[in-house]
Every structure is written in C-alpha cells, then in structure tokens.
Amino acid sequence: MRNIEIKAKVRDLTKLMDKVRSLEPQKCEIIKQEDTFFNTSNGRLKLRKFENGTGELIFYNRPDTEGPKMCSYEKSDVSTENFNSLHSVLERSLGAKTTVKKTRQLFIVDQTRVHVDSVDKLGNFMELEVVLNDNQTPEDGEQIAFNLMTKLGVEKEDLISGAYADLLNKI
C-alpha cells in the first residue's frame, strides 16, 4: 500500500478544525492510540494499541523530509487475546525505542485521511495521508496534498519531518 504524507505543527487548533469541517468530510472519528516503536534495521515498525485492547502492527518506510513524501506500508490486525504477548516478543527481540500516546481526530476527505492529533508531551499536529489508487502516481498524490494544505492553511514553516517518536526522543 502507498500514500503521500505530510505532517505539520498546528498553531491554531480551532481555526484548523473549522477548515477541516468546511471540507465536508465523509467520516469523523475520535481514536485514542498508543504506538510503541521498535528498533529496526530499515524503515519503522510500530505496534499500535487501541482503547478496546485490539491493535495493529504497522511497518512503514518513508523519507524524513518536510512536505509531501511517499510512504509504503503494511499493516496487520492484532486481536485483544494476543496483543500483550506480541508486544512482549517484539520488545524482547528488537527492543522498544519510544511510546507515543495520542488522541486522533480522523476525518476522511475524498481519498485523504486527515488526522488532527493531540500528542502527549508534544502538542497538536495535523497529518494528511493521501491514499494512492493503483493508477495514480506519487505526483498525483502530491498535488492532492498541496491542494489540501492550501485549503487548510498549512504553511511551509509548520511542516515537520520524521515521526512523533523522533520528536519525543529530542525532548
């Protein structure tokens, strides 16, 4: 699976939320997540836990650059029954780097997942994930991302590279 992503610091949460809602999203959902990042030799591996005890194991690879960037990823659902044992196996075999706790407001706008995240110890952020169809190029996704950035008032100086885990490791 592929998408084009951007991540940005949010300066004015109320203003951003008003702009997101003006896009008339098809879906709006609040999700509490806890992501544990593990040491890997390439890409990133995280185990995401949801409030109900289920989760996802997610491997992804993307450059640590500002602005729209290509991300390839694979996900596997994790049931409540085996979440803790999987976490333990991964931690013992790979070592855990960082845990990120956040409340995510998820909006779906056409083929884009708009995330408005409140990240413990970091503050508020916004992510765009333009999910590419098989017949779309990365450039198509970048154009969609740039258009949404403009509509949402995302400035170039607000863009960040890397993951929330990287930012947490710097504090």
Side-chain angles (χ1 to χ4, degrees):
M1 299 174 77
R2 310 170 303 144
N3 64 26
I4 298 296
E5 296 184 11
I6 70 118
K7 189 177 305 213
K9 182 77 175 143
V10 172
R11 293 174 190 250
D12 185 334
L13 184 59
T14 302
K15 186 175 177 181
L16 174 68
M17 293 300 292
D18 287 344
K19 288 182 178 185
V20 171
R21 288 186 187 104
S22 76
L23 298 174
E24 299 180 4
Q26 297 99 315
K27 180 178 182 178
C28 174
E29 183 178 0
I30 296 176
I31 309 165
K32 291 189 182 252
Q33 301 174 338
E34 183 175 311
D35 295 344
T36 300
F37 285 78
F38 298 93
N39 296 311
T40 60
S41 58
N42 67 331
R44 297 177 196 268
L45 181 67
K46 66 182 170 184
L47 183 60
R48 172 169 288 159
K49 183 177 185 179
F50 299 109
E51 274 186 305
N52 66 3
T54 64
E56 299 172 320
L57 183 64
I58 305 167
F59 170 79
Y60 65 99
N61 207 344
R62 72 164 187 248
D64 286 335
T65 58
E66 296 174 351
K69 54 200 155 273
M70 171 67 84
C71 178
S72 60
Y73 62 97
E74 293 183 44
K75 292 197 289 189
S76 179
D77 291 335
V78 178
S79 68
T80 304
E81 297 82 41
N82 68 2
F83 186 91
N84 289 336
S85 66
L86 178 58
H87 187 282
S88 178
V89 167
L90 290 169
E91 188 169 25
R92 290 188 65 179
S93 63
L94 300 173
K97 293 194 319 189
T98 307
T99 298
V100 177
K101 294 180 182 181
K102 65 182 175 275
T103 300
R104 169 166 284 173
Q105 295 183 69
L106 165 66
F107 302 89
I108 304 293
V109 177
D110 298 321
Q111 71 189 82
T112 304
R113 297 170 55 92
V114 179
H115 302 155
V116 179
D117 294 334
S118 176
V119 184
D120 286 6
K121 301 179 184 171
L122 291 179
N124 296 313
F125 295 85
M126 188 269 321
E127 290 182 350
L128 299 177
E129 293 180 353
V130 182
V131 180
L132 296 175
N133 300 319
D134 291 339
N135 62 342
Q136 287 181 302
T137 65
E139 293 77 21
D140 294 333
E142 288 175 11
Q143 189 58 52
I144 292 168
F146 280 125
N147 288 342
L148 276 172
M149 286 171 58
T150 299
K151 289 177 182 177
L152 296 173
V154 176
E155 302 291 335
K156 183 174 175 139
E157 57 269 13
D158 297 329
L159 297 175
I160 60 171
S161 62
Y164 298 139
D166 300 327
L167 296 175
L168 282 170
N169 286 333
K170 292 178 183 177
I171 60 173

